[in-house]
Amino acid sequence: MAEGLLTADAARSLVGSVDAFLFDCDGVIWKGDELIQGVPETLELLRKLGKKLVFVTNNSRKSRRQYSKKFKTLGLEVTEEEIFTSSFAAAMFLKLNKFSPEKKVYVVGEDGILDELKLAGFECFGGPEDGKKNIMLEANFYFDHDKSVGAVIVGLDQYFNYYKMQYASLCIRENPGCLFIATNRDPTGHMTSAQEWPGAGTMVAAVSCSVQKEPIVVGKPSSFLMDFLLKSFNLETSRMCMVGDRLDTDILFGQNTGCKTLLVLSGVTTLPELQDASNTIHPDLYTNSVYDLVKLLQQ
Amino acid sequence: MAEGLLTADAARSLVGSVDAFLFDCDGVIWKGDELIQGVPETLELLRKLGKKLVFVTNNSRKSRRQYSKKFKTLGLEVTEEEIFTSSFAAAMFLKLNKFSPEKKVYVVGEDGILDELKLAGFECFGGPEDGKKNIMLEANFYFDHDKSVGAVIVGLDQYFNYYKMQYASLCIRENPGCLFIATNRDPTGHMTSAQEWPGAGTMVAAVSCSVQKEPIVVGKPSSFLMDFLLKSFNLETSRMCMVGDRLDTDILFGQNTGCKTLLVLSGVTTLPELQDASNTIHPDLYTNSVYDLVKLLQQ
């Protein structure tokens, strides 16, 4: 079914029929370190209307604590408990699946994943530190790895290199039962306000190709994050609206979990892409940016 | 159809029915920098029998000239003209497709690709040099790229990093008509004798994910390399035998181009993998290593 443009009537009906708004962050709330216009007014209005707000991001570079600080820096009051990151989801996945505390976790990613793992009580290594390590493919070079690694987590990693690819591959291939977890598979993202950058999906694609195996995905559009979120709050997904800028993660996530869905065109998806015949993912509603909610509700 | 084990009869019949043997290198002739047992005797016998020998490798790390030196170091006399690498194939692809000499080529890969491009008269950059460059994803950081890049070539790259992923992505996405060429898509390879390593396929998967586009593949199993090879020699593919250790590149390449095919188990493919129900690629014949040809023909 084709999506509908968010009109004043549709906005009133939407706000009347949901108790909670789930917001993606990159491309919806901010672009890189720049706040998107009208976001403070929108969040303020929705809070005034008694709506619960939750921020769900696939960006695993930061922990919940770091994200809460980022919100503060941008002038927004958001608590850690309102934030669900794919880095947090990865740690919670291990916790819920009773990952043995005697095993270690190897991380292809940044501090957000390491921090969440440590907060959850897991021993982990890799991350930015291994970004400094080089491989020299020379005769008889043997690359050793830790046999006690029981899970590899792959997320967005600006320090990605051949060393980490091989380390992750050896753990997944040679350590019996080693889990291969991806925070998410976004191909690109607005990591800076100026342009798009390769997303976690590119690191996941490389490691997945090397080990010829598909990962367990814990971020959007996987329903793992939603199941966990529902356990934390007393909410029904039919009374929730997922607001995002990506069709294949945000909107699909909302649809997979039974939420209403609103696509904003302030991030990576353009109107021609949404309306292209090849697109099979259709949100319930779409609009330019979250600020339209304020403008339309005040009409 | 199921493959047959190479017997003495099958070996005699094979040698009698072909004029040329095409050998893959990694896992067939050598593993890393170690010669596989019996290779000198095998090549000597086939040359004595008047067979033409061609060496076809997807490993793009070296140029034809560098490979010729490697053969010499290992005690094998092989001329540059007998060697077809995916790095050479990439340069020849641009030449045959009349790539404008006013445009530049960006290389995600190693010296082999840069050397072959320069020999063919093309201006290129990237490669190991860009492996030293780092990205810091910070606010308002804008990453610029050369708008005169008309082709990006991605091959095996032990210096792969986030900088190159973004550089390649910007050229492919933003430079009108920019070609996206992969030397090959091998997921792994015996880059050292001791173990397997991520292959060019992993770098290709990452860039392909970032730009959401499939590359033109010039190495095995693409028939481009064979078309070029046939132009260089006066041969019929039905009178050729492709000898390789990978089903999805070597054997598929042989089948795609009409050669007889012989799988050797001295590289990445194991007998259980060959005989697994999920495998759909079946060589005409298989054996442990090329040395079996000598042993069987002398029975």
Side-chain angles (χ1 to χ4, degrees):
Chain A
M1 211 186 68
E3 50 282 333
L5 178 67
L6 186 74
T7 59
D9 279 349
R12 270 188 293 272
S13 159
L14 177 67
V15 168
S17 65
V18 303
D19 304 322
F21 281 86
L22 273 59
F23 290 98
D24 174 43
C25 297
D26 271 315
V28 178
I29 304 294
W30 55 62
K31 270 192 177 184
D33 285 327
E34 224 165 81
L35 200 60
I36 288 174
Q37 211 215 339
V39 165
E41 296 84 343
T42 310
L43 302 188
E44 199 191 330
L45 176 67
L46 293 175
R47 286 208 199 267
K48 255 191 211 156
L49 293 169
K51 305 303 169 191
K52 171 138 202 68
L53 306 185
V54 182
F55 300 85
V56 186
T57 175
N58 265 356
N59 190 326
S60 61
R61 295 182 64 212
K62 292 185 165 71
S63 62
R64 298 171 101 187
R65 189 166 299 169
Q66 290 171 304
Y67 268 113
S68 176
K69 277 186 199 149
K70 175 166 181 173
F71 276 102
K72 207 159 280 169
T73 307
L74 294 170
L76 301 171
E77 275 301 325
V78 170
T79 66
E80 276 182 46
E81 289 67 34
E82 290 173 315
I83 303 168
F84 287 80
T85 65
S86 63
S87 51
F88 177 62
M92 289 306 104
F93 181 87
L94 293 182
K95 202 153 194 127
L96 290 178
N97 285 279
K98 306 202 188 317
F99 183 75
S100 166
E102 279 159 37
K103 298 233 173 194
K104 294 182 198 143
V105 186
Y106 185 71
V107 175
V108 179
E110 303 192 16
D111 285 331
I113 302 174
L114 292 165
D115 290 352
E116 293 292 357
L117 286 171
K118 285 174 199 157
L119 276 173
F122 297 116
E123 194 180 339
C124 54
F125 66 107
E129 197 52 38
D130 280 3
K132 300 170 196 152
K133 297 179 184 165
N134 293 317
I135 291 283
M136 291 302 278
L137 284 177
E138 280 165 2
N140 301 321
F141 176 63
Y142 185 79
F143 188 84
D144 212 359
H145 75 285
D146 189 330
K147 308 293 185 293
S148 69
V149 169
V152 170
I153 298 179
V154 182
L156 178 60
D157 188 359
Q158 69 183 309
Y159 314 105
F160 191 57
N161 62 11
Y162 198 63
Y163 178 98
K164 294 188 193 186
M165 285 171 65
Q166 175 69 335
Y167 207 104
S169 301
L170 290 174
C171 293
I172 297 167
R173 204 161 44 215
E174 300 186 6
N175 292 3
C178 182
L179 297 170
F180 173 24
I181 298 168
T183 58
N184 63 301
R185 302 196 80 156
D186 293 45
T188 55
H190 264 287
M191 267 55 100
T192 65
S193 54
Q195 57 200 157
E196 282 181 39
W197 294 83
T202 62
M203 287 91 208
V204 174
V207 176
S208 174
C209 174
S210 174
V211 298
Q212 296 282 288
K213 200 175 157 176
E214 290 299 312
I216 300 161
V217 180
V218 293
K220 295 174 282 184
S222 147
S223 58
F224 171 76
L225 201 61
M226 179 60 84
D227 294 342
F228 188 76
L229 199 149
L230 294 177
K231 274 183 197 147
S232 313
F233 303 115
N234 189 17
L235 290 170
E236 263 178 68
T237 55
S238 65
R239 303 236 357 128
M240 288 161 92
C241 177
M242 175 71 212
V243 186
D245 72 321
R246 284 200 77 97
L247 294 164
D248 57 354
T249 51
D250 302 322
I251 301 307
L252 195 57
F253 173 70
Q255 292 176 341
N256 282 348
T257 54
C259 296
K260 292 185 171 58
T261 54
L262 170 62
L263 179 82
V264 288
L265 302 171
S266 50
V268 297
T269 308
T270 63
L271 188 57
E273 281 166 6
L274 171 65
Q275 296 177 336
D276 193 275
S278 69
N279 171 37
T280 56
I281 304 169
H282 299 280
D284 296 319
L285 294 161
Y286 72 95
T287 193
N288 283 319
S289 80
V290 292
Y291 198 21
D292 294 334
L293 273 171
V294 177
K295 295 189 217 161
L296 293 167
L297 290 172
Q298 287 176 345
Q299 269 183 16
Chain B
M1 211 185 70
E3 50 283 331
L5 178 66
L6 187 74
T7 59
D9 278 350
R12 270 189 292 273
S13 158
L14 177 68
V15 169
S17 65
V18 303
D19 303 321
F21 280 87
L22 273 60
F23 289 98
D24 174 42
C25 298
D26 271 316
V28 178
I29 304 295
W30 57 61
K31 270 193 178 186
D33 285 326
E34 225 165 81
L35 200 61
I36 287 174
Q37 211 214 340
V39 165
E41 295 84 343
T42 311
L43 302 189
E44 198 191 330
L45 175 67
L46 293 175
R47 285 207 199 268
K48 256 192 210 157
L49 292 170
K51 305 302 169 190
K52 170 136 202 71
L53 305 185
V54 182
F55 299 86
V56 185
T57 175
N58 265 356
N59 191 328
S60 61
R61 295 181 64 211
K62 293 184 165 70
S63 63
R64 297 172 101 186
R65 188 166 300 168
Q66 291 171 302
Y67 268 112
S68 176
K69 277 187 199 148
K70 176 167 180 173
F71 276 103
K72 205 159 281 170
T73 307
L74 294 171
L76 301 170
E77 274 301 326
V78 171
T79 66
E80 275 183 48
E81 289 66 34
E82 290 174 313
I83 303 168
F84 287 80
T85 66
S86 63
S87 52
F88 177 62
M92 289 306 104
F93 181 87
L94 292 181
K95 201 152 194 129
L96 290 179
N97 286 279
K98 305 202 189 319
F99 184 75
S100 166
E102 278 159 38
K103 298 232 171 194
K104 294 180 197 144
V105 185
Y106 184 71
V107 175
V108 178
E110 303 192 16
D111 285 331
I113 303 174
L114 292 165
D115 290 351
E116 293 292 357
L117 287 171
K118 285 175 201 156
L119 276 173
F122 297 115
E123 194 180 340
C124 53
F125 65 107
E129 197 52 37
D130 279 4
K132 301 171 196 151
K133 297 180 183 164
N134 292 317
I135 291 284
M136 291 301 280
L137 284 176
E138 279 166 2
N140 301 320
F141 176 65
Y142 185 79
F143 188 86
D144 212 358
H145 75 284
D146 189 331
K147 308 294 184 293
S148 69
V149 169
V152 170
I153 298 178
V154 182
L156 178 60
D157 188 359
Q158 69 183 309
Y159 315 105
F160 191 58
N161 62 11
Y162 199 62
Y163 177 98
K164 294 189 193 185
M165 284 172 65
Q166 175 69 334
Y167 206 104
S169 300
L170 289 172
C171 293
I172 296 167
R173 203 161 47 216
E174 299 186 7
N175 292 3
C178 182
L179 298 170
F180 172 23
I181 298 168
T183 57
N184 63 302
R185 302 197 81 155
D186 294 45
T188 55
H190 265 287
M191 267 55 99
T192 65
S193 53
Q195 58 199 158
E196 281 181 40
W197 293 83
T202 63
M203 287 89 209
V204 174
V207 176
S208 174
C209 174
S210 173
V211 299
Q212 297 281 288
K213 201 176 157 176
E214 291 299 312
I216 300 162
V217 180
V218 293
K220 296 174 282 183
S222 147
S223 58
F224 170 76
L225 201 61
M226 180 60 85
D227 294 341
F228 188 76
L229 199 150
L230 294 177
K231 273 182 198 148
S232 313
F233 302 114
N234 190 17
L235 290 170
E236 262 179 70
T237 55
S238 64
R239 305 236 354 130
M240 287 161 91
C241 177
M242 176 70 213
V243 185
D245 72 322
R246 283 200 77 96
L247 294 163
D248 56 355
T249 51
D250 302 321
I251 301 307
L252 195 57
F253 173 70
Q255 292 177 341
N256 283 348
T257 55
C259 297
K260 292 186 172 57
T261 54
L262 170 63
L263 179 82
V264 288
L265 301 171
S266 50
V268 297
T269 308
T270 62
L271 188 59
E273 280 166 7
L274 170 65
Q275 295 177 335
D276 194 273
S278 69
N279 171 37
T280 57
I281 304 169
H282 299 280
D284 296 319
L285 295 161
Y286 73 94
T287 194
N288 282 319
S289 80
V290 292
Y291 197 21
D292 295 334
L293 272 171
V294 176
K295 295 189 220 161
L296 293 167
L297 290 172
Q298 287 174 345
Q299 269 183 15

